[in-house]
Amino acid sequence: MSYLVDNWSFDPFVVVVAAIVALHELGLANLRRRSLPERTRTRRLRSLLFYGGLALLLIAVVSPIDYWADDYFFVHMIEHIFIAFFAPILIVAGAPWLPLLHGLPVGLRRRLVRAVLLGRFSHAFRAIGRVVVNPWTALISFNAVMVIWHVPGPFDAAQENQFVHIWLMHASFFVTGILFWLQIIPSYPFRMKASPLWQVGAIISTNVVMFVMAMTLSLFSATSWYSVYAHIPGVSLSPYADQQIGAAVLWICGDFWAIPALAVTIRRAIDSEGGFSLGVDRLFHRDPGPSLEVLRASASEQAPRN
């Protein structure tokens, strides 16, 4: 029990989260004065998801998870799953973007919007934005960040330098996680540009990357990869056994997010494409052939009449 109760810490990120929540609540109040009650209730329900995502981020950085992540690789993998997957999922589903914008003072908000849409560098901003939110950019960057930071060299460097650990490793997990889930989860006012079948493929390919990483860290390795976990006083678990447990965390926790997301996106593909097989035909630009209704109509016309 002491593993859960002890070793909580205060991180300046707590102040940042408190400021974000205050700004979001102010934005909700401003929007409530000009919105229908139904929309106000919807925003309030979504805000719970947003706050849940922020809470997961706080748990990852101030709870004993962060403390024990310095000693145990498998705990560090739990922290990464929180930061890269579960927290971004809840934040994107919470769609906090408009409330956060409307929480700003009116003058500042107008200057910000004018600078992005009509300002001197508006074309550059919009061009960069289109690249950043492109589905392929999100998919490739998310998986690249996941793989690169688990290579021994970058991983050990992050463990030995707090700036690299927090502002490069964890920040890249979180930012690319947000961009990835924006392609899959509706988050107004962002529009999902990827087709449902692309979303299915993105989820499967990302889960495959995690599976390969897990297999490489466990079945395809005979020793521990990371020197930072090789000689830690007071840790009885061997570095290799610790690494194998961490690989299992990547594998099993990958299924925790992948299976529900896959079920939702497959259903979305069936509803939007008129059937899964028809959607596959459209994806590969194949002639789907006559539909079931056409075949039935043709059969009824050819049937002998009495």
Side-chain angles (χ1 to χ4, degrees):
M1 192 66 181
S2 61
Y3 287 98
L4 301 177
V5 176
D6 298 337
N7 301 310
W8 287 78
S9 62
F10 177 81
D11 190 281
F13 185 60
V14 174
V15 178
V16 175
V17 169
I20 291 173
V21 171
L23 182 65
H24 190 267
E25 284 294 321
L26 181 59
L28 288 177
N30 291 335
L31 288 169
R32 183 169 56 244
R33 288 193 287 268
R34 65 185 73 174
S35 300
L36 296 173
E38 293 79 8
R39 288 189 178 180
T40 299
R41 284 194 294 270
T42 299
R43 291 194 191 101
R44 173 52 64 190
L45 291 175
R46 286 177 178 169
S47 72
L48 299 180
L49 295 173
F50 175 52
Y51 297 154
L54 294 179
L56 282 183
L57 285 179
L58 282 179
I59 290 173
V61 300
V62 305
S63 76
I65 290 177
D66 185 63
Y67 177 84
W68 291 112
D70 290 335
D71 293 344
Y72 294 98
F73 175 77
F74 79 90
V75 180
H76 205 163
M77 293 304 98
I78 295 173
E79 185 178 39
H80 287 181
I81 293 293
F82 275 28
I83 294 172
F85 288 92
F86 295 138
I89 286 173
L90 291 176
I91 289 173
V92 170
W97 325 113
L98 281 184
L100 288 175
L101 181 62
H102 283 267
L104 298 173
V106 176
L108 176 60
R109 183 170 74 239
R110 288 176 178 173
R111 286 195 298 272
L112 181 62
V113 173
R114 191 179 298 115
V116 173
L117 298 180
L118 302 172
R120 188 179 189 181
F121 302 103
S122 60
H123 291 294
F125 288 149
R126 290 200 293 269
I128 294 172
R130 283 193 295 269
V131 173
V132 169
V133 300
N134 181 274
W136 289 108
T137 302
L139 175 62
I140 294 171
S141 63
F142 183 58
N143 284 279
V145 162
M146 187 67 63
V147 171
I148 290 170
W149 281 117
H150 288 91
V151 173
F155 188 96
D156 289 344
Q159 280 296 98
E160 294 170 350
N161 186 303
Q162 280 299 304
F163 178 85
V164 175
H165 190 198
I166 296 172
W167 295 107
L168 294 182
M169 176 189 269
H170 287 178
S172 61
F173 282 155
F174 177 70
V175 171
T176 57
I178 292 289
L179 295 176
F180 176 78
W181 289 107
L182 279 174
Q183 313 306 321
I184 296 170
I185 300 174
S187 190
Y188 185 81
F190 291 98
R191 291 182 297 176
M192 293 187 297
K193 299 179 180 179
S195 70
L197 285 175
W198 186 95
Q199 296 169 351
V200 171
I203 293 169
I204 292 175
S205 60
T206 300
N207 200 35
V208 167
V209 169
M210 293 190 67
F211 174 77
V212 171
M213 286 174 52
M215 292 299 98
T216 305
L217 287 167
S218 56
L219 297 182
F220 302 147
S221 298
T223 59
S224 173
W225 284 19
Y226 307 108
S227 61
V228 291
Y229 289 113
H231 303 286
I232 298 179
V235 175
S236 58
L237 187 66
S238 72
Y240 182 56
D242 183 19
Q243 180 175 294
Q244 288 183 309
I245 298 173
V249 169
L250 288 176
W251 185 1
I252 296 172
C253 290
D255 292 336
F256 286 167
W257 65 263
I259 293 175
L262 203 56
V264 171
T265 51
I266 289 176
R267 180 55 185 267
R268 188 184 296 163
I270 293 173
D271 292 341
S272 65
E273 301 290 347
F276 192 78
S277 61
L278 183 59
V280 172
D281 289 332
R282 291 176 178 172
L283 179 66
F284 291 101
H285 305 289
R286 296 187 308 209
D287 182 9
S291 65
L292 182 60
E293 289 76 9
V294 172
L295 292 175
R296 287 175 176 173
S298 178
S300 63
E301 290 176 359
Q302 296 176 6
R305 299 180 180 177
N306 295 328

